[in-house]
Amino acid sequence: SRSPPRRGGGGGGGGRGRSRSMSRSWRDRPRSPVSRYSPPPRRSGGRSGNRSRSRRDGRRDDRRDDRRPDPKKKAFEEKRIPPPAVRGPDKPQITEEQRANSVEFNGHYYAALDFTPPNQGGESAGQKTRIQMPYGWEVADITDDVRDAVVRLHTFGTDFVVGESGKAFHTAKGSRPGALEMIWDYKKDMGMYNLHQDGSLAAKNARILIRIAVPKV
């Protein structure tokens, strides 16, 4: 008769054998491609990747475009209108007519804006239209010396001459030669000068007095 198997080391050995076989079978068992506990795989492409790349590429293209010269801007610079030429010669040129109709005093020529002769007689008249200021000339500053030597002793074909700040003085043709009568404003527009003719001024006669420095020879 056979004796029953021992439950000691043999049984333990059998248990260890079963555990080893079970572990081997668990390892050899095929795994699923994606485990429930494994992190999701990274996406190599996709919309977000394409968008970020397109944005980066767009920024790079913009930077490259900034470096490149703009053909429209270059064409505009080539067609740009040149600056205007300098008005008149480098030095003011006084014509013989201007010199003949002026009064020389203290290093300046003084004249009426329309170059009416300084000793013209006859009826009084005045400037009623706009007149261009000659190049190099300016509205005269009627100081006391200019008033006594130029305005009071000459007629300029009118009753008053108007200087800087609109001061109107009686000429030799006026009722009080050399006296300050009033402030008579004048208008200036694009180098054109004219006296205001509003109200009672329309019945009065005046001319703008201008001056220029005597050229050095």
Side-chain angles (χ1 to χ4, degrees), residues 126-144:
Q127 179 182 335
K128 304 297 183 181
T129 59
R130 298 192 307 163
I131 300 177
Q132 179 73 42
M133 178 70 72
Y135 176 65
W137 292 74
E138 63 181 358
V139 178
D141 180 16
I142 303 177
T143 61
D144 293 342

Side-chain angles (χ1 to χ4, degrees), residues 33-42:
V34 179
S35 176
R36 187 172 60 177
Y37 302 101
S38 61
R42 292 186 178 181

Side-chain angles (χ1 to χ4, degrees), residues 9-203:
R16 285 194 296 269
R18 282 195 301 272
S19 63
R20 288 176 184 173
S21 63
M22 288 175 66
S23 63
R24 288 196 198 100
S25 64
W26 180 261
R27 287 196 303 266
D28 297 340
R29 193 175 161 189
R31 296 182 181 182
S32 59
V34 179
S35 176
R36 187 172 60 177
Y37 302 101
S38 61
R42 292 186 178 181
R43 297 179 181 179
S44 58
R47 294 182 179 179
S48 61
N50 293 336
R51 288 178 182 175
S52 61
R53 286 180 185 173
S54 62
R55 290 175 183 173
R56 288 196 297 269
D57 295 342
R59 292 174 184 172
R60 290 174 185 170
D61 294 340
D62 293 341
R63 292 174 184 172
R64 290 172 185 170
D65 293 340
D66 294 341
R67 295 173 191 167
R68 296 172 186 170
D70 189 359
K72 294 182 180 179
K73 185 177 181 181
K74 186 176 180 181
F76 174 76
E77 291 178 353
E78 292 177 354
K79 295 180 181 179
R80 189 168 53 185
I81 300 174
V86 179
R87 176 189 171 193
D90 296 336
K91 294 182 179 180
Q93 301 293 327
I94 302 176
T95 65
E96 291 299 327
E97 181 183 0
Q98 292 174 348
R99 195 189 308 270
N101 295 321
S102 301
V103 177
E104 184 177 354
F105 173 72
N106 201 14
H108 286 82
Y109 287 116
Y110 291 87
L113 181 57
D114 58 358
F115 290 97
T116 300
N119 294 316
Q120 178 171 307
E123 284 190 28
S124 294
Q127 179 182 335
K128 304 297 183 181
T129 59
R130 298 192 307 163
I131 300 177
Q132 179 73 42
M133 178 70 72
Y135 176 65
W137 292 74
E138 63 181 358
V139 178
D141 180 16
I142 303 177
T143 61
D144 293 342
D145 294 339
V146 174
R147 177 197 62 192
D148 295 337
V150 178
V151 178
R152 188 169 62 86
L153 301 180
H154 301 85
T155 64
F156 296 100
T158 188
D159 298 326
F160 306 97
V161 288
V162 180
E164 192 178 27
S165 302
K167 294 180 180 179
F169 290 86
H170 285 263
T171 65
K173 205 172 188 61
S175 58
R176 294 179 299 141
L180 176 63
E181 177 68 16
M182 59 183 165
I183 302 299
W184 193 329
D185 293 330
Y186 54 85
K187 295 179 287 187
K188 176 184 177 183
D189 182 22
M190 301 295 291
M192 307 287 286
Y193 288 76
N194 191 16
L195 291 168
H196 283 279
Q197 304 290 333
D198 302 331
S200 61
L201 295 178

